[in-house]
Amino acid sequence: MLPFKLVYSDDYYLPIGAHVFPAEKYARVHHKLIETGVADASDFVTPHAAADEDVLLVHTPQYVHKLRTGTLSAREELEMEIPYSPELVRAFWLSAGGSILAADHALKEGAAISIGGGFHHAFPDHGEGFCMIHDVAIAIRRMQRDQKITRAMTVDCDVHQGNGTAFIFGGSRPPGAPLPSTGAPTLNPAHTRPSRNSQEPDVFTISLHQEHNYPAWKPHSSIDVNLPDETGDDDYLAWLDNALSSGLRMFEPDLLCYIAGADPYREDQLGGLSLTIEGLKRRDELVFRVAQARQIPVMVTLAGGYAIRLEDTVTIHFNTVVAAKEMFTVR
Ligand SMILES: [Zn+2]
């Protein structure tokens, strides 16, 4: 039995038809965990859909209404890049419920992993980049509302910048504002310094991502590490270590939300970094080691993964659970 819970439902499946997003990956990861004996049935807990009330902690009433009534404009649906359906709304509400449940379990048991979620490109008033609503932000706001936490940190290791996360938790830059041009990896902690008229943020956001990739407009995270194309394992891990140390020097979270994208993988169709499967597992280990050393509860969501071979994406997500098992099992 694992020393933490896995949150999963077969209904995490996204009904989007043939799509670069492999919606069957969640079931495949679940199957592999059972098949290999890494987890057994008792390790899994089943989520319920988030309530609209929870979703409204992050999203605008207008947007939630459009989703609930199927009245997105054609342009809004296009921007989401996945085909709207009421069933898809249900799947996203369930993934938000899964992230809430994972956060709850993480606070009780020190760690929890949802075999889904990580929809970090959703904004309060619109969805984009395969993301309808922002499950992680909803979970954080729900934990805060329930007074289970005050401060959270997001650590986003998807190959794409966590634009929704950055915008929700601190982005004050208007759309279209010019980007700083950074040719090399850059830490951008400037906006976390308390200014005269802003309070210290209650959510600290870290994003490590490929600079020359979607999204074009990258609202500032607390720390953005803009990685050059083809960054490999060792450089990536050094930057991650650096970002985590810097972040945790500036901010003490009650909950760490790790967004464990599989798409920094060198054979990803939508990514341009060069991490290996082993390097990605070392990445997971690093995040878990840091969280454990500081006794920060950690909740995990999977986010993106578009490897040429689906099995590689499944293995990378599976390895995140293996890494957590190795790290959190007391010997
Ligand atoms: Zn991604």
Side-chain angles (χ1 to χ4, degrees), residues 120-121 129-130 158-161 214 261-264 268 270 303-306:
H120 59 158
H121 301 310
F130 318 149
D158 192 274
V159 78
H160 305 103
Q161 195 243 7
Y214 167 87
D263 49 13
D268 195 272
L270 302 186
Y306 316 92

Side-chain angles (χ1 to χ4, degrees), residues 236-312:
Y236 186 97
L237 292 168
W239 279 106
L240 175 58
D241 196 12
N242 189 341
L244 286 169
S245 312
S246 305
L248 290 168
R249 259 198 306 276
M250 289 185 270
F251 190 87
E252 288 179 26
D254 306 312
L255 176 67
L256 192 154
C257 302
Y258 175 38
I259 298 171
D263 49 13
Y265 179 45
R266 62 184 177 186
E267 290 177 38
D268 195 272
Q269 300 172 84
L270 302 186
L273 297 184
S274 294
L275 276 75
T276 64
I277 289 179
E278 297 71 39
L280 286 158
K281 182 160 181 266
R282 284 163 61 203
R283 169 199 73 167
D284 298 335
E285 289 164 358
L286 174 57
V287 174
F288 295 143
R289 190 177 312 119
V290 167
Q292 194 187 40
R294 296 172 186 251
Q295 299 192 309
I296 305 164
V298 56
M299 68 157 277
V300 185
T301 51
L302 300 189
Y306 316 92
I308 296 162
R309 289 181 301 272
L310 173 59
E311 191 52 38
D312 288 349

